[in-house]
Amino acid sequence: MKTEFSLAQLADPDIAEADKILRACVHCGFCTATCPTYVLLGDELDSPRGRIYLIKEMLEKDKPPTQEVVKHIDRCLSCLACMTTCPSGVNYMHLVDQARVRIEQHYTRPLPERALRAMLALVLPRPGLFRAGMILARLARPFTALLPEPETASASPTLWRRLRAMLALAPGRLPAKGPAAGSVFPAQGDRRGRVALLQGCAQQVLAPRINQAAINLLTRHGIEVVLVKDEQCCGALTHHLGQDGDALARARGNIAVWQSEAERGGLDAILVTASGCGTVIKDYGFMLREDPDFAGPAARISALAKDITEYLAGIDLQPGQQQHRDIVVAYHSACSLQHGQKITALPKELLSKNGFVVKDVPESHLCCGSAGTYNILQPDIANKLRDRKVANIAMVKPDMIAAGNIGCMVQIAGGTSVPVVHTVELLDWATGGRRPGPN
Ligand code: SF4
Ligand code: SF4
């Protein structure tokens, strides 16, 4: 794609990067076939190619984004299916991240929307506030019927529609808190390794059983696990809202505490059980590439970050009792894992090797609609994607559904009665841990 940035514009490293990405696009449109919003809405401007044109124009003209541009960028899930499909290696992720930052900095959203986004950015990354918010949401749920309900689903939802969606996502009950930050779980037997386990923010409130399963599995196999003190949200939530100041501050904070833990006790890896977080931590090196103090440490931390399945693939997992044999598992491939981190076959291989009957889900490349805060901000598109995902999963008649990302787990569980569990919970069970179930 031909671009027309001035030399002055190209002196900005972000614009130079955008220019490189835009020039790689050859307009072929292959990406449209796998883009969930294009598949649902059929509008070229809701396809990757259409959005790339909109972003190009916005950046080249260097003017505040228009309402039309904002509408179509907001509808993008950042699922990155387009990056898997693109034959030219267009880095859509870095382009749309930049577009979201520009929108956040130069576009004034209506006041109710600004308030909702500010509330999400404040509450979601802070487990204490998030827990309190979930309790309040549960208490408020009976009053949902009093909120005005739109007659039809819309790709431009109202504030009320978004509030309804947020209340609907609150769980009926919250589990007890998991282990505290700063805890160290010694290896059983001879120590073969030492890792940090990302504590996550929403996940530690909604499903502490996931990291507990990871800790049990790892320590049983001789790996010491540390929950690093003063670690915070990885920044993914605010990064996807375009609030880069907040996201980068969180990245720097985490890099500092992980680096000092690595220097003090040694770390073989930083393990992540929420693939949405893993994708962003693996991108810290890029996000901080222009920061003279953090560029090097960020690249080292990104190299240390691993999805839990990547690390487990290097361990000889020991079988436990075999009650799980013949359990049919539908494996839902989270977008952040399959498109963001290119981890596709590995989790399925681990599950099969450890005794589960693993089934691929039809249309597995399509997002379930979770996408961070997307199911709150764009509930009607998100619900359509969830229903489509659940119908595809039902076709393989599973006993359980496995996924590697808490957002997908909550989203899919909202549309099915089949138990939805994390891949690591199944692997823990297969190697002597407890059967996955409610917290
Ligand atoms: S990230 Fe997903 S929703 Fe956005 S343009 Fe690419 S395929 Fe479409
Ligand atoms: S597939 Fe890649 S090169 Fe083709 S239009 Fe989409 S982004 Fe551009």
Side-chain angles (χ1 to χ4, degrees):
M1 181 180 286
K2 191 167 169 291
T3 57
E4 290 172 357
F5 292 107
S6 67
L7 285 177
Q9 284 177 304
L10 289 169
D12 175 342
D14 285 337
I15 294 294
E17 184 65 29
D19 183 61
K20 196 173 85 189
I21 298 168
L22 290 165
R23 282 173 176 269
C25 176
V26 294
H27 329 205
C28 65
F30 286 176
C31 51
T32 56
T34 56
C35 171
T37 53
Y38 183 73
V39 168
L40 284 188
L41 304 170
D43 182 342
E44 170 74 13
L45 294 181
D46 285 313
S47 79
R49 184 172 57 183
R51 292 187 177 112
I52 287 169
Y53 273 112
L54 291 176
I55 296 170
K56 172 182 178 299
E57 201 169 291
M58 172 176 77
L59 296 179
E60 274 180 351
K61 289 197 173 148
D62 203 13
K63 293 220 171 98
T66 63
Q67 196 180 354
E68 186 72 358
V69 170
V70 174
K71 180 172 84 178
H72 295 292
I73 300 298
D74 280 356
R75 284 185 194 162
C76 169
L77 294 131
S78 280
C79 69
L80 312 180
C82 47
M83 284 179 63
T84 297
T85 319
C86 176
S88 299
V90 172
N91 193 323
Y92 178 83
M93 177 172 86
H94 289 155
L95 192 65
V96 79
D97 285 349
Q98 203 178 129
R100 292 193 202 282
V101 171
R102 186 162 284 238
I103 288 171
E104 186 64 16
Q105 290 173 349
H106 298 283
Y107 180 75
T108 308
R109 295 178 187 274
L111 182 62
E113 194 176 342
R114 265 185 284 152
L116 176 64
R117 284 171 175 261
M119 191 267 286
L120 292 173
L122 177 76
V123 172
L124 292 180
R126 294 172 175 84
L129 274 182
F130 183 61
R131 176 175 284 277
M134 286 293 100
I135 293 168
L136 281 178
R138 204 179 62 214
L139 296 175
R141 207 153 45 185
F143 303 102
T144 309
L146 301 177
L147 294 174
E149 188 168 19
E151 283 175 12
T152 52
S154 163
S156 303
T158 61
L159 176 68
W160 300 120
R161 179 72 193 86
R162 288 167 167 161
L163 286 176
R164 271 178 171 272
M166 195 164 63
L167 295 178
L169 285 170
R173 55 176 281 278
L174 281 181
K177 284 184 188 173
S183 305
V184 178
F185 300 87
Q188 293 173 21
D190 290 341
R191 193 175 99 174
R192 298 161 60 195
R194 186 173 193 270
V195 297
L197 181 65
L198 181 82
Q199 293 148 77
C201 32
Q203 178 175 295
Q204 66 171 276
V205 175
L206 296 173
R209 62 174 209 265
I210 295 173
N211 270 4
Q212 192 59 60
I215 292 166
N216 295 345
L217 173 58
L218 289 163
T219 53
R220 212 166 45 240
H221 287 82
I223 311 298
E224 181 168 295
V225 181
V226 53
L227 306 183
V228 176
K229 200 163 184 293
D230 296 328
E231 179 190 281
Q232 47 186 308
C233 166
C234 67
L237 289 162
T238 45
H239 183 58
H240 293 311
L241 288 169
Q243 300 182 12
D244 242 27
D246 181 278
L248 293 178
R250 291 181 184 283
R252 290 188 185 97
N254 283 334
I255 290 164
V257 295
W258 288 333
Q259 190 168 253
S260 84
E261 183 63 42
E263 284 161 6
R264 209 172 43 80
L267 285 179
D268 302 323
I270 297 163
L271 300 188
V272 187
T273 53
S275 59
C277 308
T279 306
V280 169
I281 296 169
K282 287 182 176 183
D283 205 37
Y284 276 1
F286 176 83
M287 289 161 67
L288 289 164
R289 69 198 182 287
E290 298 294 330
D291 184 323
D293 297 326
F294 277 89
R300 285 194 288 280
I301 290 297
S302 287
L304 265 185
K306 283 191 171 39
D307 184 74
I308 183 80
T309 54
E310 286 179 284
Y311 190 77
L312 293 179
I315 295 176
D316 192 16
L317 294 179
Q318 296 301 309
Q321 292 170 346
Q322 300 293 299
Q323 315 97 314
H324 64 286
R325 295 263 163 202
D326 301 330
I327 295 270
V328 177
V329 174
Y331 176 71
H332 163 71
S333 196
C335 295
S336 42
L337 208 51
Q338 63 166 321
H339 304 306
Q341 300 182 44
K342 306 293 181 219
I343 297 173
T344 50
L346 192 56
K348 291 185 283 185
E349 284 166 10
L350 279 170
L351 289 169
S352 300
K353 217 168 119 187
N354 285 282
F356 295 98
V357 179
V358 183
K359 300 277 184 182
D360 276 322
V361 175
E363 292 190 327
S364 61
H365 61 281
L366 281 186
C367 180
C368 65
S370 167
T373 54
Y374 193 91
N375 50 4
I376 295 171
L377 296 172
Q378 301 287 343
D380 296 311
I381 299 175
N383 285 350
K384 281 190 185 145
L385 289 171
R386 181 198 61 200
D387 294 346
R388 189 167 177 146
K389 180 64 70 184
V390 167
N392 276 322
I393 289 173
M395 287 168 79
V396 303
K397 300 188 173 52
D399 300 311
M400 289 183 173
I401 302 163
N405 191 45
I406 182 69
C408 310
M409 291 169 66
V410 171
Q411 174 78 351
I412 293 169
T416 178
S417 56
V418 179
V420 187
V421 298
H422 195 285
T423 309
V424 79
E425 292 183 274
L426 292 177
L427 295 173
D428 178 43
W429 181 28
T431 55
R434 71 186 273 268
R435 182 188 172 107
N439 294 286

